[in-house]
Structure formats: structure tokens, C-alpha cells
Amino acid sequence: MPAPPLHDWNLDPEEAIALQKRLAGDIEREDRIDPVRYIAGVDIGFEEGGEVTRAAVVVLSWPTLVPVEQVVHREPTRMPYVPGLLSFREIPSALAAFALLTQRPELVMVDGQGIAHPRRLGVASHLGLWLDLPTIGVAKSRLCGMHDTVPEAKGEWTPLRHRGETIGAVLRSRLGVKPLYISLGHRLSLPTSLDWVVRCLGRTKLPEPTRLADRLASRRDEKSR
């Protein structure tokens, strides 16, 4: 699954910020999604003090949510940590992981932000552009914006707003746990993004695609691929 080359990764922070602002205009915020047979969950993290980037991808069948394929890819980190530019550190490894898959998903859930980002280009949106796939950001914490208190019942949510714009939904995915921050990534509307996350919830806080990707990523004995 080769990814289309959108841009070079060898950018300084000022160039990366300018690129984010330009690419944000290419994000599709309406539904353009094929019938879903497979959903991918993506978790991207760092090892060895940030020197190595690790991407884990799990592909699940829909609607059974049974895993059918999983890969882990590790490579040297390409960019130092800069607030707001995390996708430039994470996506090269994620693209390499997707290139290892034999089954192309129709929908991708990413552990991170979609448009709920100061420049409206979080890792889920950036990855969606590279893959030309519908993506959803499923984040455990807020990067920007404000919201009201989320009701305690499972499935309740409240809008996340920033600079007068609704950029996501703060979802109570399970009773008694902190909410998730859901935002559209690419080729989806916010209502559809939220609906897919809710439909993929199991007994834990995270939807099954990102839960399984997170679990795979935490297995430190996985060999680099």
C-alpha cells in the first residue's frame, strides 16, 4: 500500500507550520467513505528516550471487530519534539507500518487528534491525507479548545470548541472514566466520526481498533519490522 508523496519530511519547524496551514485546507470534512469491511487502529509512540518511533497497526473486520492482521514498525525518529508538530515525528513510521499490510482498511482510527489541533491538522488528519482514507482522531487528552462538563452516562458527549468553531466531541465512553476527545480526521463529518467510535466501543474506555493497537504497541518484545 504505497502512500502518495505529499511532501518532504526534512523540514524545519517554520516550514512545517506553514505546511500544516496549507494542508489543513485539503481536509475533507464531509463523508466520503466506501462500505466498511475493515477498520484499522493506529497507535504511535516512542522508545529509547524518543530516539525510536514505533507504529502499531491492527486491522479488524467489521462488524465483528475480530483482528485479521497486525504489524509493528520501528525506525529512527526523524524530528525533535515540537509542540503542535507531533505528526511530523509520528507519521513516517505509521506509513511504513501501513505499507506492510496486506489488507487495506476502509476506515482508520488513530490514537491522536484529527482537526482538534490549533492549525486543524493533527496526526489523524495528516495521516488521512497521506493514505487518502477516512480517518478519525481518538485522543485521551485535549490539545486545544474548551467544552462543558460531559454527563456521566456512557455515550454522552459535549462539543469541543475552539475560536468559535466546533472541532470535536468530548465523549464519555464508559461510566466513571475520563472522556475521550473525538475529532474528524479526513473524509468524514464529525457526527459520522462520533457514530463510528461509539459503535466500536466494547467494555473498556477505548474503541476496539485503538485499544488493540495500544495493546500491541505496549508489547516491548515485538521485533522491529
Side-chain angles (χ1 to χ4, degrees):
M1 280 171 44
L6 284 182
H7 58 78
D8 186 12
W9 292 107
N10 186 24
L11 304 173
D12 62 35
E14 292 75 17
E15 291 173 324
I17 289 171
L19 180 62
Q20 281 183 326
K21 293 177 179 178
R22 178 172 64 81
L23 291 179
D26 295 332
I27 295 299
E28 298 179 30
R29 301 190 182 196
E30 300 298 330
D31 297 332
R32 183 165 70 88
I33 181 170
D34 295 330
V36 175
R37 297 183 304 144
Y38 298 98
I39 303 174
V42 184
D43 182 275
I44 308 164
F46 299 91
E47 301 173 1
E48 299 182 18
E51 294 297 317
V52 174
T53 307
R54 177 199 66 248
V57 181
V58 178
V59 179
L60 298 80
S61 62
W62 175 259
T64 62
L65 293 177
V66 173
V68 298
E69 189 174 9
Q70 61 184 37
V71 296
V72 175
H73 173 80
R74 294 178 175 88
E75 64 177 52
T77 301
R78 302 193 187 198
M79 185 177 186
Y81 172 72
V82 178
L85 297 180
L86 195 59
S87 66
F88 289 87
R89 280 167 59 86
E90 295 185 341
I91 288 180
S93 180
L95 292 175
F98 270 90
L100 297 172
L101 294 175
T102 59
Q103 181 59 63
R104 181 175 173 85
E106 290 81 30
L107 175 63
V108 180
M109 293 188 184
V110 183
D111 184 348
Q113 310 289 350
I115 67 165
H117 179 281
R119 289 177 289 278
R120 307 298 185 259
L121 197 82
V123 62
S125 294
H126 203 161
L127 183 62
L129 285 174
W130 270 95
L131 296 174
D132 190 26
L133 283 173
T135 54
I136 303 170
V138 182
K140 303 182 190 74
S141 60
R142 180 183 60 182
L143 181 59
C144 66
M146 301 293 291
H147 61 88
D148 295 333
T149 301
V150 186
E152 289 295 324
K154 178 180 178 178
E156 294 289 337
W157 63 277
T158 190
L160 176 67
R161 297 186 61 80
H162 183 241
R163 298 173 185 163
E165 177 185 8
T166 298
I167 59 171
V170 190
L171 171 68
R172 187 77 65 186
S173 60
R174 187 182 180 191
L175 181 66
V177 301
K178 293 182 179 179
L180 296 174
Y181 293 83
I182 311 302
S183 56
L184 70 94
H186 181 49
R187 289 178 50 177
L188 289 175
S189 63
L190 178 58
T192 300
S193 300
L194 185 59
D195 179 62
W196 272 109
V197 171
V198 171
R199 292 166 75 186
C200 289
L201 289 175
R203 297 181 179 181
T204 62
K205 173 179 178 176
L206 297 175
E208 283 296 285
T210 56
R211 183 186 75 82
L212 292 177
D214 177 80
R215 189 175 74 173
L216 175 63
S218 68
R219 295 174 182 171
R220 301 304 186 192
D221 60 344
E222 283 281 349
K223 294 181 180 180
S224 299
R225 298 180 62 180

